[in-house]
Amino acid sequence: MTGAGTLDAWAGRRMALGHAPSRAEVETYRLDRLNAVIAEARARSPFYRSRRDWPADDRLATLADLGRLPFTCPDDLGRADPTLTALPLRDAARLVTIPTSGTSGAPKRIFFTEADIEATIDYFRRGMATLVRPGETVAVAFPTRTPGSVGDLLMRGLTRLDAEPLALPVDGTIDAVVAALRAARPTAIAGMPVTLGAAVRRSASDGGSPLRIETALVSADTISPSLRLALADLWGCEVFDHWGMTETGYGGALACHAHDGLHIRETDLHVEIVDPLTGRPVLDGTTGEIVLTTLTRAGQPLIRYRTGDLAAIDPRPCRCGSVLRRLKNLKGHAAGKIVLRSGHSLDIDIIDDAVFSAAGVIDFMATATAGPPVRLRLDIVAGAPSAVPKVRAALAGRTDIAAALAAGDLVLDIAEAAGAAWPICRKRRLRAPGSPSPDGPEPTRPAALYS
Ligand SMILES: [Zn+2]
């Protein structure tokens, strides 16, 4: 592989270099941008200007000096006084409001200028150009109607790439989504794991003609090994992961053809990995919490923003030729988990992998009630009869779950559900009982994705 399929040439242009950067040039760019961002934030943002824990000398001589500055947290995005934004509200091309379960209770407000939106469209265009060719039909399995939403920006990026974007009817049923795929026969698709999982399994079990899709971009949530396999087996997909959240301007890090980590959007984001408990930086290769500093967001600079997501950094050059650093071992923060009396825990990854290993399951919703014993309710949407006993058997086949069932620490309630009222686009999540909606209150610290 060569550098042709990478974002490096684009990154070089965005860094005003005119050529694909060397690693040293990326480091210089980052240090320059960080110093500029810090100076601008202190001058223009009331929140940063009034922080008492800010060091008197905030000039960075090295990237490591950034660790002297205090963290910013999701709650800080909800503050009205002092506000974190550095430009007047009239300069916002889009404001995204995301409910949080943080201590302030105020929703996060995320501010995008026209330039931020333009940067994301450009990133989507260049990123998709490493995965699909002009002229290809690319199905977009995100809501696309809201201007400035992730689906809208992806559609606009694909249009600039001269691809043919196809907005799937994700506000309807999964059958409508599958029908749209059969009608348009796209060669690529982008969406969340829940959406793509339901579509691939439905299309394989409804008796209709098989679909062939070469490329799947999976975003906004981590994908389970069983779904990755299903996309490869049933549609013939090469699966590419993307990580991002509203706070990153949607685009954050993208896999390449080497499938050995996700290259960080280092033109616009500085990523640190810290120990989630101590807040101290960890060594490259060690998993910890992703902490972000935005490098180009004038309206709402985020400095050392704690995302709650986990990953490790691989700084080595990639086989694809890119010098952009990579994120590995990504894990979302908000999915929730059950802690059993034995001390073992069950999270949505484990449950998801077990449930989908049962033939015929298209979608499910998991709700946990604290114990002991913990009650785990699974509502299963199935395209084949007798899925419930298969799911029960699949769960009981996992050593941890079998032990918890035998010890009386866990009770499973499994039922078939129609599922029609569930949003097709949602994150995988272990819900608490009484959650008003499948995307309702987050069980742990918030940092919402793609609202
Ligand atoms: Zn690569």
Side-chain angles (χ1 to χ4, degrees):
M1 276 178 280
T2 70
T6 76
L7 282 166
D8 288 34
W10 166 80
R13 285 195 298 278
R14 190 151 168 77
M15 293 175 186
L17 290 170
H19 56 265
S22 66
R23 188 64 221 163
E25 285 170 325
V26 178
E27 301 295 305
T28 303
Y29 167 86
R30 288 199 299 167
L31 189 59
D32 289 350
R33 282 308 314 157
L34 284 169
N35 275 312
V37 165
I38 291 165
E40 285 162 21
R42 288 284 278 177
R44 297 205 186 118
S45 156
F47 169 75
Y48 290 112
R49 193 163 53 230
S50 63
R51 290 198 73 159
R52 294 178 196 283
D53 47 0
W54 204 266
D57 175 14
D58 60 9
R59 186 83 197 159
L60 313 183
T62 69
L63 290 169
D65 289 344
L66 185 61
R68 293 193 285 115
L69 301 188
F71 291 118
T72 306
C73 293
D75 268 2
D76 297 327
L77 291 175
R79 282 173 205 285
D81 187 24
T83 176
L84 193 147
T85 50
L87 287 174
L89 275 186
R90 64 171 181 274
D91 289 340
R94 177 163 152 80
L95 260 183
V96 181
T97 303
I98 303 170
T100 75
S101 58
T103 50
S104 74
K108 288 187 287 186
R109 284 151 60 86
I110 303 180
F111 183 112
F112 295 113
T113 62
E114 205 58 64
D116 298 332
I117 287 176
E118 184 56 37
T120 292
I121 296 171
D122 192 40
Y123 176 70
F124 283 169
R125 172 193 175 175
R126 304 297 169 176
M128 290 307 289
T130 66
L131 310 182
V132 303
R133 295 171 298 277
E136 270 195 64
T137 300
V138 182
V140 175
F142 289 106
T144 57
R145 290 205 189 111
T146 305
S149 64
V150 65
D152 171 51
L153 301 186
L154 183 55
M155 296 284 288
R156 287 157 71 180
L158 286 164
T159 301
R160 287 191 197 171
L161 173 62
D162 289 328
E164 301 286 335
L166 166 74
L168 292 172
V170 290
D171 50 358
T173 64
I174 201 64
D175 289 324
V177 168
V178 170
L181 290 171
R182 286 211 175 94
R185 299 266 153 193
T187 46
I189 187 167
M192 295 167 84
V194 167
T195 321
L196 301 192
V200 71
R201 293 182 180 107
R202 187 65 176 170
S203 72
S205 65
D206 65 1
S209 60
L211 284 163
R212 297 298 297 172
I213 300 180
E214 289 169 31
T215 306
L217 177 76
V218 181
S219 190
D221 196 357
T222 47
I223 173 174
S224 67
S226 61
L227 175 55
R228 196 181 294 278
L229 213 59
L231 289 168
D233 281 355
L234 302 174
W235 282 351
C237 289
E238 182 174 3
V239 179
F240 295 87
D241 300 274
H242 172 263
W243 171 82
M245 52 177 63
T246 312
E247 290 91 323
T248 65
Y250 304 121
L254 177 64
C256 66
H257 288 269
H259 296 288
D260 190 20
L262 282 64
H263 292 282
I264 300 168
R265 182 184 175 186
E266 290 191 287
T267 50
D268 299 271
L269 300 172
H270 174 75
V271 170
E272 297 168 83
I273 306 289
V274 304
D275 183 309
L277 296 177
T278 66
R280 292 213 187 89
V282 299
L283 293 174
D284 283 342
T286 306
T287 298
E289 182 175 350
I290 301 175
V291 171
L292 287 175
T293 301
T294 56
L295 299 178
T296 54
R297 294 257 295 278
Q300 191 178 51
L302 295 178
I303 297 176
R304 304 202 80 209
Y305 179 79
R306 296 194 71 151
T307 65
D309 280 3
L310 299 177
I313 281 188
D314 188 341
R316 298 171 299 173
C318 180
R319 290 199 304 282
C320 74
S322 175
V323 302
L324 300 175
R325 298 186 306 163
R326 286 164 291 155
L327 291 178
K328 290 184 164 172
N329 308 331
L330 271 157
K331 201 162 175 66
H333 60 288
K337 68 178 177 184
I338 303 170
V339 179
L340 298 167
R341 197 157 42 183
S342 63
H344 286 296
S345 62
L346 288 180
D347 62 20
I348 197 70
D349 288 341
I350 296 169
I351 298 165
D352 186 290
D353 225 30
V355 170
F356 283 123
S357 70
V361 176
I362 289 168
D363 197 359
F364 77 99
M365 196 72 78
T367 311
T369 313
V374 169
R375 293 193 87 88
L376 176 61
R377 180 183 169 85
L378 300 172
D379 293 291
I380 306 284
V381 180
S386 69
V388 168
K390 285 181 198 157
V391 168
R392 191 177 292 281
L395 285 159
R398 306 279 160 140
T399 317
D400 267 14
I401 298 176
L405 289 170
D409 290 348
L410 177 68
V411 176
L412 294 176
D413 298 322
I414 309 178
E416 272 203 51
W422 302 347
I424 294 174
C425 291
R426 63 175 201 272
K427 284 187 278 185
R428 301 179 307 154
R429 183 170 298 167
L430 199 49
R431 288 187 307 157
S435 299
S437 82
D439 259 343
E442 309 199 7
T444 58
R445 233 154 53 74
L449 294 148
Y450 292 0
S451 295

